[in-house]
Amino acid sequence: MKLSDAELRDVIDELQDAWREHGDADLLHQPAARRDRPFTSEDVARVAIVHGWARHLHETAKAVVLLLDNGMTNAALPLVRQMYECALSAVWVVQSQEQHGVRAIISEHVRTRRAFAREAEKAESPTFRESAGEIADVEARDDLASNDNARQFRDICLDLTPAGVDAYIYYRVMSSYSHASLAVSDLYYKEADRDSGSLPYRLPEATAAIPADSLLYFVAISLVWGARAYAYTSRDQTHRSIIRRLARTLEVNSEIQLSAHYRRRHAKTRTASK
């Protein structure tokens, strides 16, 4: 059953209320993948990453709703894409076996920071060149061996169920309108006859790349998944109950799990290492 714009907004409001009430627990725990094990620095990093993404999701949702309230559908779309990516990434990190997920996230962070530093060293601006040596988190680390890789979001989607390639296709559609692409330019024109030799007709208002109610739906499910990832570490049963109930309203599964693809990949890596 498709929810109306008003119903989706009600779900989002309730998810935001639940986050304000339950989203900042004083005591956080190991997720199921690490339950009953002592906290290490990587466990702390995992919890901090998931909590940070969940907080950002709920903050960004406010901006998306504000833009949609003012008819700025296309401007809201890249923010929804980021929410969607953060939500599924948070689920992936919190569900991942051992420390593989958090190590992959940290490794990717270090890789991009090192690339940033190398570019800064080549910059025309002396300010950039002089500050290249001050860029943090560029040191190669020998303790980040992982069976996972966070460089491609497609791989994260394939590691989750229900998600998989369908989840990645949704992401690709949103990504096509989140960069300087022909898809973005086309939103402002009506298609012209290719043989006419004339410029396409300029629309007085841009076409909405994705309808506002669809964006609200993606906001809502991203809040569900991001909050649920955090709830694995808070173990707040009241918060979990609210998330599950609203997931049922949205007709999505709040309990995204590791996929058979993930488990086969890890089993193959373990076999190869023997």
Side-chain angles (χ1 to χ4, degrees):
M1 179 185 69
K2 183 177 179 180
L3 299 181
S4 68
D5 186 295
E7 289 170 326
L8 287 166
R9 287 172 181 271
D10 286 343
V11 169
I12 291 168
D13 286 345
E14 193 165 353
L15 285 164
Q16 291 284 38
D17 288 343
W19 181 257
R20 281 188 288 270
E21 181 70 23
H22 302 279
D24 197 17
D26 293 329
L27 181 63
L28 295 175
H29 305 268
Q30 294 277 39
R34 295 279 297 167
R35 185 159 295 171
D36 300 325
R37 301 190 185 186
F39 260 87
T40 67
S41 59
E42 290 175 325
D43 291 313
V44 173
R46 183 203 300 241
V47 171
I49 289 167
V50 170
H51 191 197
W53 282 340
R55 289 183 65 184
H56 187 66
L57 278 165
H58 288 81
E59 190 67 22
T60 304
K62 300 175 190 175
V64 172
V65 171
L66 183 63
L67 287 168
L68 294 179
D69 284 346
N70 286 275
M72 300 179 182
T73 308
N74 293 329
L77 196 159
L79 296 179
V80 177
R81 168 188 173 272
Q82 186 191 43
M83 289 184 63
Y84 184 70
E85 183 180 7
C86 283
L88 288 177
S89 297
V91 172
W92 182 75
V93 172
V94 83
Q95 292 276 29
S96 61
Q97 296 177 355
E98 297 298 333
Q99 305 292 18
H100 291 289
V102 67
R103 288 179 181 175
I105 293 293
I106 295 171
S107 292
E108 179 60 13
H109 173 72
V110 172
R111 186 191 70 80
T112 57
R113 298 295 286 181
R114 294 177 73 182
F116 180 28
R118 287 195 296 270
E119 294 301 325
E121 290 171 352
K122 304 172 187 176
E124 296 286 342
S125 167
T127 301
F128 290 152
R129 291 197 305 273
E130 291 165 6
S131 62
E134 300 174 10
I135 295 174
D137 302 335
V138 298
E139 295 297 325
R141 291 177 53 175
D142 298 326
D143 59 343
L144 294 177
S146 174
N147 294 342
D148 295 333
N149 190 316
R151 189 168 183 175
Q152 299 292 334
F153 186 62
R154 179 179 184 274
D155 293 334
I156 291 175
C157 292
L158 292 178
D159 279 347
L160 298 172
T161 184
V165 70
D166 289 30
Y168 182 63
I169 289 171
Y170 287 129
Y171 172 81
R172 285 294 300 269
V173 170
M174 289 189 278
S175 294
S176 66
Y177 297 102
S178 302
H179 304 284
S181 66
L182 290 179
V184 169
S185 183
D186 285 347
L187 295 174
Y188 294 84
Y189 295 93
K190 181 179 180 180
E191 186 175 358
D193 185 345
R194 293 187 178 185
D195 298 325
S196 69
S198 61
L199 288 172
Y201 175 73
R202 288 179 292 178
L203 297 171
E205 294 185 5
T207 303
I210 296 177
D213 60 345
S214 296
L215 292 184
L216 285 172
Y217 177 77
F218 277 98
V219 168
I221 63 175
S222 296
L223 289 176
V224 163
W225 293 332
R228 185 66 186 95
Y230 166 75
Y232 281 112
T233 66
S234 72
R235 300 188 191 172
D236 185 327
Q237 294 300 327
T238 301
H239 195 193
R240 289 188 187 190
S241 296
I242 295 170
I243 294 167
R244 287 169 177 156
R245 174 173 55 79
L246 294 174
R248 288 194 296 271
T249 300
L250 294 165
E251 298 184 345
V252 297
N253 191 337
S254 68
E255 310 287 339
I256 296 179
Q257 303 292 328
L258 298 174
S259 66
H261 169 84
Y262 179 97
R263 299 187 188 283
R264 284 195 302 268
R265 183 167 57 76
H266 274 250
K268 188 180 297 184
T269 303
R270 286 194 299 271
T271 301
S273 66
K274 290 181 179 178

